[in-house]
Amino acid sequence: MQRQYEKTVNAWCMYDWANSAFATTILAAVFPIFYGRVAGATLPGNLATVYWGYTASAALFTVAFAAPILGAIADHSGAKKKFLLVFAALGIAFTALLATIQQGAWRPASFFFVLAYIGFAGSIIFYDSLLPHISKPEDIDRVSSKGFAIGYLGGGLLLALNLAWIMAPQVFMLKDTAAASRLSFFSVAVWWAIFSIPLFRKVPEPAASPLAGAISPVRGGFQRLSRTFHEIRRYKELTKFLVAFWLYSDGIGTVIKMATIYGSEIGIGTSSLIGALLMVQFIGFPATIAVGKIASRIGTKRAIFITLAIYCFISVGGYFMSRAWHFWALSVLVACAQGGAQALSRSLFGRMAPIEKSAEFFGFFSISSKFAGIVGPFLFAVVGQLTGTSRLSILSLIFFFVCGGLLLARVDVEEGLRASTGA
């Protein structure tokens, strides 16, 4: 029984391995630089950075509105894995199309990225919603942290190969770094598709929990969503946590999306930008596991507080950053905090959400992070456009970490757990 349990957990974790290639190569490392220097090559000043911020916000805005409705429909119909497949296929297809982007084509680059990101983020809603079903309640922190840690390793391995192509394109019979970057985008699509297979083969589909009187999954999904809004007072602590997560996740997500294009804007070379982010993946693997173990000793909330304090320092350091070694040093701190903050937030939410409505509630979890992601890159872009530099943009992110931490301090986790079980 334990052996089968671990097989299921490992198969679920492999989707983190699969989709993390998108998070590293497309979202964080290679595509933002490609967007600024190739797709946005004809744009004056810092407009490439500005338009990248608006593009990221548009993608998040679309997913944010759809997330809770899709989650409710999936709970009603018992179709979490089917929805995951549909969104993964969408993301994989448009990630592959990024390989067709030519110099100056920032409009199709933005369009393809938005659809690829919708697929990526939409699939994660249903992937996350499987966590309470495949994990034992007392094991959920470990399983969630393991998924993020494996994701760091998988995304890092492909990014290492992508970096080799970009740094020495002639060795791999590629025309130039732009051609190597395009090949890296296509490799992400292939990687994502292949390593998603274990989840679809070995993770069971949780049973449906339809509402009485609902004649279709869509109608049942909307009825379930309506009922959740009316019952939200039962989950007061969960609601407070969602708002706290909305705030600090805003800062984390903006750092992920804007770091390389910001570094490129202030003159840090491509090799340092991508090399530092590659380092993040491999340091992030043991660091995420370590933060999970720390949480088991001092509590999940306290461990999250530590990661938020680190991010406050990163925001201040980013304002003063001017040399490549500064970027490397701040990347080490990101590696120590990023995976732990995300994994522990996911597991804490999973414990406080009622399991029979996991996809629906993880839809709300997703909408929190996606709406947060709208504000962060948008604010980053607006401040950069108004001031002509992005230094004040990176400093402004400290607001999200401080306010998110203050609200998290007011969350009574034990009361949240009682509410989720009806105790």
Side-chain angles (χ1 to χ4, degrees), residues 68 103 313:
Q103 185 168 343
F313 186 86

Side-chain angles (χ1 to χ4, degrees), residues 173-184:
M173 295 180 289
L174 298 168
K175 181 181 178 181
D176 51 27
T177 57
S181 297
R182 293 185 185 98
L183 179 60
S184 72

